[in-house]
Amino acid sequence: MDTALNEGFRKTGTPNISESPLHARRQSRRIMVGPVPVGGGAPISVQSMTNTRTADVGATLQQIAELTAAGCDIVRVAVPKQEDADALAAIVRQSPIPVIADIHFQSKYVFEAIDAGCAAVRVNPGNIRKFDEVGPQICQAATDAGISLRIGVNAGSLDKDLYAKYGGPTPEALVASAMKEARMFEDVGFHDFKISVKHHDPVTMVETYRLLASKGDWPLHLGVTEAGPSWQGTIKSCIAFGALLAEGIGDTIRVSLSAPPVEEVKVGCKILEYLGLRERHFDIISCPSCGRAQVDVIALANAVTDGLKEVTAPIRVAVMGCIVNGPGEAREADLGVASGNGKGQIFIKGKVVETVPEDQIVETLLRYANDIAAHMDQQGSPVVVPITQA
């Protein structure tokens, strides 16, 4: 085991991956959200939003800590009431990641959020009262504080005139709204903003962002709004984000799920990992259940996944259930098992190191996996390129 651990691991890539292997990134200007760069070739950041009452500082900070541990880069907090605005300064001061204040209707909260030290403010000009009058003041306050803004255009809060003109929240309507608001900012010399044009339908969302991306160099925040429960929202987000990011469109993302915010971050990070846009962490390869399988692959894969849920090292584990693809996939992974005939062959970097009875497969895999993960952590968590054995 010690010999196997000390051979064959190679480092590649960098923790800050900005270019997709599928397509060159769209050229956008760069803004800053606190210390996190957005746009201009910066690595794509993952965002989420707390679902606590912002006024409950302790609960909000606890959730921000959980989001940070899951890989979140930027967090947004809702500010619907004065007590929430009053809590911002304490949250900003103690948050480990930049805080964005989410403001609707009341422009006074925008100024209070800026004074509280928020890294950015999300404003929806479509529902801020008298935005034509207060917009320039907001831009000036943001400029003075050195912070950025996000223009948020949603299908559900589209300007009534544009809704009537285009017959609904079409891509053309959403882009027209975003461009109108962008010009409002740019006309007063403010350029430190990103734009989101969200829609609940992934096809409409993709068409909208493609159209907007062709109109200017604004950094773009991707999101499928009101995507739905976890399984449905994950599928929608994977479709939409995968299409756009594979084309180089998008600078920061938020997966919107009717689920705990940490789940949003996990999905967002995995989307970036599998597109080659973020360093890959623990990954499991397992075959589907089929008539060739000679073990309960579903139970085996679930048990291994659950047993390694706390592992952050970039270890790739293959759990295979038959002799057709099993040995090949097991050899290509850092650690693998090819199962059949009541036993499992354990592979480390292409070499069989042990054969164990079926009832010992899980405990054996977990033991080896934890040893390999610890070794990777000591080496600085390299991205592992599996070495194919002849």
Side-chain angles (χ1 to χ4, degrees):
M1 176 62 179
D2 289 340
T3 301
L5 278 177
N6 289 323
E7 296 176 354
F9 289 101
R10 298 198 302 264
K11 296 183 181 180
T12 184
T14 162
N16 296 317
I17 302 169
S18 60
E19 285 297 329
S20 168
L22 300 174
H23 197 285
R25 289 277 297 279
R26 163 183 169 266
Q27 294 297 311
S28 60
R29 63 181 180 235
R30 177 171 294 189
I31 65 171
M32 300 298 296
V33 180
V36 177
V38 174
I44 295 169
S45 52
V46 174
Q47 301 189 24
S48 186
M49 186 173 182
T50 58
N51 62 9
T52 57
R53 285 178 54 254
T54 303
D56 187 340
V57 174
T60 301
L61 286 171
Q62 175 60 37
Q63 193 168 84
I64 291 174
E66 294 167 0
L67 291 169
T68 304
C72 189
D73 301 299
I74 300 168
V75 67
R76 186 153 44 104
V77 299
V79 189
K81 298 179 180 179
Q82 184 62 54
E83 61 184 359
D84 301 313
D86 294 339
L88 287 174
I91 293 170
V92 168
R93 188 168 57 251
Q94 299 177 70
S95 173
I97 56 177
V99 175
I100 298 178
D102 186 81
I103 312 292
H104 296 269
F105 307 114
Q106 293 280 1
S107 61
K108 69 173 185 175
Y109 296 150
V110 175
F111 299 103
E112 292 182 28
I114 293 172
D115 290 341
C118 287
V121 179
R122 186 266 187 152
V123 294
N124 188 341
N127 64 28
I128 295 286
R129 298 186 183 98
K130 298 181 179 180
F131 191 81
D132 290 347
E133 298 177 16
V134 299
Q137 299 171 38
I138 290 173
C139 292
Q140 187 60 56
T143 299
D144 293 343
I147 72 165
S148 58
L149 301 173
R150 171 159 78 93
I151 299 172
V153 180
N154 279 9
S157 56
L158 184 65
D159 178 270
K160 293 180 180 179
D161 291 339
L162 290 172
Y163 190 99
K165 178 179 178 180
Y166 291 95
T170 63
E172 294 77 12
L174 291 167
V175 169
S177 177
M179 292 182 65
K180 175 185 175 183
E181 293 161 5
R183 291 192 191 100
M184 193 183 305
F185 281 9
E186 291 170 341
D187 284 348
V188 295
F190 187 78
H191 300 275
D192 290 333
F193 63 91
K194 60 183 180 289
I195 304 178
S196 65
V197 281
K198 296 185 178 183
H199 196 285
H200 67 272
D201 175 64
V203 173
T204 303
M205 180 269 203
V206 169
E207 291 175 339
T208 303
Y209 275 99
R210 282 176 176 164
L211 180 59
L212 182 61
S214 71
K215 301 293 186 181
D217 67 346
W218 312 286
L220 299 181
H221 170 85
L222 303 187
V224 179
T225 190
E226 291 96 34
S230 206
W231 66 272
Q232 177 177 304
T234 295
I235 293 170
K236 285 183 178 181
S237 297
C238 288
I239 290 169
F241 291 2
L244 290 168
L245 293 171
E247 296 174 14
I249 297 172
D251 300 292
T252 182
I253 65 172
R254 189 250 173 128
V255 177
S256 298
L257 302 177
S258 300
V262 164
E263 296 305 310
E264 297 183 349
V265 174
K266 290 178 179 178
V267 173
C269 288
K270 282 300 178 185
I271 290 173
L272 295 182
E273 285 180 28
Y274 291 137
L275 284 170
L277 286 163
R278 178 170 283 217
E279 225 181 4
R280 184 173 290 196
H281 287 178
F282 165 64
D283 186 25
I284 187 164
I285 300 165
S286 60
C287 58
S289 178
C290 77
R292 296 194 306 266
Q294 297 178 347
V295 295
D296 187 344
V297 177
I298 296 173
L300 191 59
N302 286 337
V304 173
T305 301
D306 186 64
L308 298 177
K309 63 185 177 183
E310 302 301 327
V311 171
T312 58
I315 180 173
R316 184 176 284 122
V317 180
V319 179
M320 308 301 293
C322 81
I323 61 172
V324 176
N325 295 320
E329 291 286 2
R331 288 190 188 99
E332 290 299 312
D334 304 314
L335 171 68
V337 60
S339 308
N341 297 322
K343 59 187 178 182
Q345 282 190 318
I346 309 297
F347 291 78
I348 294 181
K349 291 174 291 186
K351 298 178 182 178
V352 176
V353 295
E354 190 173 349
T355 299
V356 298
E358 182 177 332
D359 61 1
Q360 296 178 24
I361 289 175
V362 172
E363 64 181 85
T364 306
L365 276 179
L366 294 181
R367 171 165 51 83
Y368 280 124
N370 281 299
D371 286 346
I372 294 171
H375 186 76
M376 288 180 176
D377 286 335
Q378 290 173 2
Q379 291 186 334
S381 292
V383 178
V384 175
V385 179
I387 296 178
T388 302
Q389 298 294 325

